[in-house]
Amino acid sequence: MSGDLWIFGYGSIMWRADFPYIESQSAYIKGWCRRFWQGSTDHRGIPGQPGRVVTLIEQPGEVCVGRAYRVRREQADDVLAGLDYREKGGYEQLLLNVYFDESNLTAGITYHATAENPDYLGEAPFPTIARQIASAQGPSGPNSEYIHNLHEALQQESATDAHVDAIFREVRLIEETLPAK
Ligand code: SIN
């Protein structure tokens, strides 16, 4: 229905949509890429030992695949309030075009963390990012679970993301060398 809200998830919202929605579809955005450049001190890390989670970085020509959720207009304010709280660790709402295919798009809201937020970590070599992910944990669980879930969610969309794949491989290598629990 016109007036419904579309929410685009490219990180944890892909596998944990803890809000009411009418339908969800594979979707993508243009001009942005997904990067493990945001620190997490409230979900996948703690203050002083932050984890790393994904944010969107503006990059002309790039496409970022994720999942879009249609929320009933009457529930939009409540859903956004819930997501504002969940994503309060540095993320802000961003309105953008969400594509289902090249001739089918809609306006949607996503959450992205800019370099101005205090938890932003920015770029680092893949092994450094992977070591941080392999060791961090926070109230929502181990940081490694986040990248496993993200990798699986992208596979379910039949999407590849070279940045996520490269860090995921490094995390797996670290996990394989850790003593069994
Ligand atoms: C999202 O999932 O779209 C936002 C980033 C995150 O919470 O992982």
Side-chain angles (χ1 to χ4, degrees):
M1 191 176 91
S2 118
D4 287 346
L5 166 73
W6 280 94
I7 291 172
F8 177 78
Y10 58 93
S12 66
I13 292 174
M14 288 180 76
W15 70 86
R16 197 169 73 85
D18 56 355
F19 50 83
Y21 60 87
I22 312 162
E23 61 168 313
S24 82
Q25 289 189 40
S26 187
Y28 56 94
I29 55 174
K30 293 181 180 183
W32 297 88
C33 61
R34 173 175 22 230
R35 292 289 181 263
F36 270 95
W37 291 2
Q38 173 64 12
S40 175
T41 58
D42 62 347
H43 281 294
R44 300 292 179 168
I46 53 173
Q49 285 172 293
R52 275 191 181 251
V53 289
V54 288
T55 184
L56 292 172
I57 303 296
E58 210 157 3
Q59 190 70 258
E62 285 275 347
V63 165
C64 175
V65 176
R67 182 145 280 269
Y69 302 85
R70 184 157 71 98
V71 172
R72 219 178 275 290
R73 183 177 48 183
E74 296 75 17
Q75 295 179 307
D77 287 348
D78 284 351
V79 166
L80 286 176
L83 282 171
D84 284 353
Y85 182 77
R86 165 175 160 175
E87 303 291 329
K88 67 186 184 315
Y91 290 85
E92 292 166 20
Q93 291 182 13
L94 174 69
L95 180 67
L96 35 59
N97 286 328
V98 176
Y99 291 77
F100 304 108
D101 60 49
E102 280 307 282
S103 54
N104 187 8
L105 69 153
T106 185
I109 294 227
T110 195
Y111 282 79
H112 90 310
T114 71
E116 278 70 53
N117 83 86
D119 288 335
Y120 187 81
L121 295 173
E123 196 167 2
F126 289 158
T128 307
I129 294 179
R131 276 196 300 276
Q132 191 170 352
I133 291 174
S135 61
Q137 53 185 319
S140 296
N143 203 177
S144 57
E145 182 184 68
Y146 180 101
I147 195 167
H148 276 268
N149 287 345
L150 177 58
H151 188 257
E152 195 180 311
L154 287 169
Q155 281 184 329
Q156 277 170 17
E157 305 299 343
S158 303
T160 48
D161 184 315
H163 174 86
V164 174
D165 287 351
I167 296 168
F168 182 68
R169 274 195 302 274
E170 296 277 348
V171 170
R172 293 288 301 272
L173 279 177
I174 296 168
E175 287 172 345
E176 279 162 21
T177 60
L178 287 176
K181 284 189 190 145

